């Protein structure tokens, strides 16, 4: 062995595949710790909103024998909202760990495990695709940065609770398994993906379509397409997509002027007037670009990652509201960021070196690997410093409830049998009960389903219509109303115990008691 070879051998032993995997485990544990600390703080500060409340109520009711729970916030059957079948196993987990904090812990675990799966995938792809240390460092490093430091991952965790992080984990496991010829695990993970949410059918079918373009994965890809389409058909037949309004979301694209356009009318409108859809996507090119940039860029060259990403961009980028594609609702696009990060590793190891050698035939293989690895590492460093300030700005945007307000809210815990009406900014913690209602600030009517009701008002929001002025006005009205008792008061915080007439409804703001209409009937009783 020459003196020049010894340092290279020594470096190779240090940067072995096993040591890379140890670093991946350390990275996943570190990410989980950060997410857990924030989740616990958010929980303690009551910084959980409507989406968390929906899953909190559903899993609580399922765990207490109500196997077909009713979502009292949006007034529909929980299962028919987004077809979140995995909520039933989550409810069983909540029986073991009764706190509703369990949901946030599960979400943090799912995101950190997803990051580990992506990086372990990159490690195996790199070590099986080349023996270049530099390419190993570059490819794995870029994949690690794209998930461990991803703003999409942090936003997915910090915004209440959603099934998309679980969906992203099972989707990543599915692609990992198919890539390394473990088809049984791939199909199992795909089946679990479908049970996470209705939108999962789109991800499974589109990933299958991308796999059809890869030799050796065509049969598996075709099977996934069939699975996805059949699941989507089942959802349509059961009408289990009531949480998605085609009219409100995509109606502006429809070919017809019907007040309730069909999916066919919307698709026809996009085909016949494509410039309108292109204009909308162009106006939202910033957050769309972040999906591809923050996943390492190169994933666009791998069809099983690129196809679902494009489909997801169309699904989330074309609604009338830009919120679905925005980073602030990162959970919506987190799954495609994960797939693109996995695709980045494949492209860097398998395709980029071949492309370089085709253009520069005089360059040998090891030099090519070294150049690609060095370039990947530079991209990883740049990406890290681009993402870092965004990451640091995310926690303050979600921790909105001050310590004095949180102390007042923690000082009183209503029993599970009492109905609670709470402002949408703090409703999540109170949802472990049969009757929970969120006041959004607009005129709303709430059914009176228990002998006593708790009304929680927190005016720490600047958003309209739930602004401080509206909340303060409502609090003053309640204080001067008969049959109400102010039991806690603090900075911008009021908790009332009321005894509105059972079987009636109360309108907020104004506290007018009116006959209960069929649209606001009591459920889960």
């Amino acid at each position: 062995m020459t003196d020049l070879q010894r340092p290279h051998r020594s470096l190779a032993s240090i940067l072995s595949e096993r040591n890379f995997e140890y670093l991946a485990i350390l990275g996943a544990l570190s990410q989980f710790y950060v997410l857990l600390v924030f989740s616990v703080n958010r929980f303690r500060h009551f910084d959980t909103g409507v989406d968390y409340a929906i899953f909190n109520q559903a899993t609580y009711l399922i765990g207490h024998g109500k196997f077909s729970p009713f979502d009292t916030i949006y007034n529909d059957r929980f299962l028919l909202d987004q077809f979140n079948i995995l909520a039933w196993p989550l409810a069983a987990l909540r029986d073991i760990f009764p706190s509703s904090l369990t949901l946030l812990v599960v979400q943090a675990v799912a995101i950190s495990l997803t990051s580990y799966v992506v990086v372990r995938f990159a490690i195996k792809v790199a070590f099986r695709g080349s023996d270049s240390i530099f390419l190993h460092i570059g490819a794995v490093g870029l994949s690690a940065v794209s998930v461990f430091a991803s703003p999409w991952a942090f936003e997915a965790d910090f915004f209440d609770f959603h099934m998309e992080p679980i969906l992203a984990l099972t989707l990543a496991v599915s692609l990992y398994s198919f890539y390394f010829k473990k088809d049984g695990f791939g199909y199992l993970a795909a089946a679990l993906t479908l049970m996470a949410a209705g939108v999962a059918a789109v991800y499974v079918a589109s990933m299958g379509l991308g796999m059809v373009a890869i030799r050796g994965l065509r049969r598996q890809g075709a099977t996934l397409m069939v699975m996805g389409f059949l699941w989507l058909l089942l959802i349509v037949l059961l009408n289990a997509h009531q949480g998605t309004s085609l009219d409100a979301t995509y109606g502006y694209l429809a070919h017809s002027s019907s007040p309730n356009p069909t999916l066919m009318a919307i698709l026809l409108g996009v085909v016949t007037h494509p410039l309108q859809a292109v204009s909308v996507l162009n106006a939202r090119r910033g957050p769309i670009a972040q999906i591809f940039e923050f996943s390492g860029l190169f994933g666009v060259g791998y069809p099983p990652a690129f196809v679902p990403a494009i489909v997801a961009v169309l699904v989330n980028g074309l609604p009338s509201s830009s919120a679905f594609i925005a980073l602030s609702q990162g959970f919506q696009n987190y799954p495609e960021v994960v797939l693109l990060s996995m695709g980045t590793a494949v492209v860097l190891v398998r395709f980029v070196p071949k492309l370089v050698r085709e253009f520069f035939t005089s360059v040998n293989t090891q030099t090519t690997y070294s150049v690609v690895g060095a370039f990947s590492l530079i991209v990883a460093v740049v990406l890290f410093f681009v993402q870092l300030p965004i990451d640091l700005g995310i926690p303050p945007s979600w921790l909105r409830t001050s310590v004095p307000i949180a102390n007042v809210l923690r000082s009183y815990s209503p029993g599970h049998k009492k109905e609670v009406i709470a402002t949408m900014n703090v409703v999540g913690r109170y949802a472990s009960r049969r009757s929970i209602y969120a006041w959004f600030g607009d005129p709303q009517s709430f059914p009176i389903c228990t002998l006593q009701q708790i009304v929680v008002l927190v005016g720490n929001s600047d958003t309209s219509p739930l602004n401080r002025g509206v909340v303060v006005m409502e609090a003053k009205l309640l204080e001067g109303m008969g049959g109400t008792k102010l039991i806690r008061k603090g900075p911008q915080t009021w908790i009332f115990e009321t005894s509105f007439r059972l079987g009636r409804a109360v309108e907020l703001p104004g506290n007018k008691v009116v006959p209960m209409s069929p649209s606001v009937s009591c459920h889960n009783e």
Side-chain angles (χ1 to χ4, degrees), residues 297-349:
L297 294 172
F298 294 97
V300 296
Y302 190 56
F306 179 66
V307 174
I310 289 297
V311 172
V313 163
L314 293 175
V315 170
N316 294 328
L318 285 177
S320 54
S321 170
S322 61
F324 295 94
I325 200 72
L327 179 60
S328 59
Q329 290 201 17
F331 72 93
Q332 304 273 10
N333 300 286
Y334 178 58
E336 61 260 33
V337 171
V338 167
L339 291 179
L340 286 167
S341 298
M342 297 175 76
T344 289
V346 177
V347 172
L348 282 175
V349 174

Side-chain angles (χ1 to χ4, degrees), residues 90-230:
L90 283 177
L93 188 63
R94 273 196 68 175
D95 278 347
I96 302 172
F97 306 101
S99 171
S100 59
L101 177 62
T102 301
L103 295 177
L104 299 181
V105 174
V106 167
Q107 184 165 257
V109 168
I111 291 173
S112 54
L113 274 179
T114 301
S115 297
Y116 172 72
V117 170
V118 172
V119 177
R120 191 166 190 271
F121 176 82
I123 292 168
K124 293 187 72 172
V125 168
F127 276 84
R128 281 152 182 75
S130 97
D131 59 356
S132 169
I133 297 173
F134 300 104
L135 186 57
H136 296 168
I137 296 172
V140 176
L142 183 53
S143 293
V145 169
S146 69
V147 287
F148 286 137
S150 173
W152 293 100
F154 290 115
E155 287 285 4
D157 181 74
F158 295 172
F159 185 179
D160 279 355
F161 175 87
H162 299 93
M163 284 293 185
E164 276 77 1
I166 298 175
L167 184 159
L169 172 60
T170 53
L171 204 60
V173 170
S174 182
L175 182 57
Y176 181 108
S177 301
F178 284 124
Y179 187 91
F180 291 110
K181 308 301 180 186
K182 297 179 180 179
D183 292 357
F185 287 107
Y187 290 127
L188 176 61
L192 290 173
T193 302
L194 292 173
M195 290 189 285
V199 70
V202 176
Y203 279 109
V204 170
S206 57
M207 188 174 81
L209 179 59
M211 288 167 59
V212 169
I214 304 295
R215 184 181 301 172
L217 292 177
R218 287 170 182 161
R219 176 179 53 81
Q220 297 91 329
T223 304
L224 289 190
M225 289 176 64
V226 172
M227 289 173 63
F229 283 125
L230 288 177

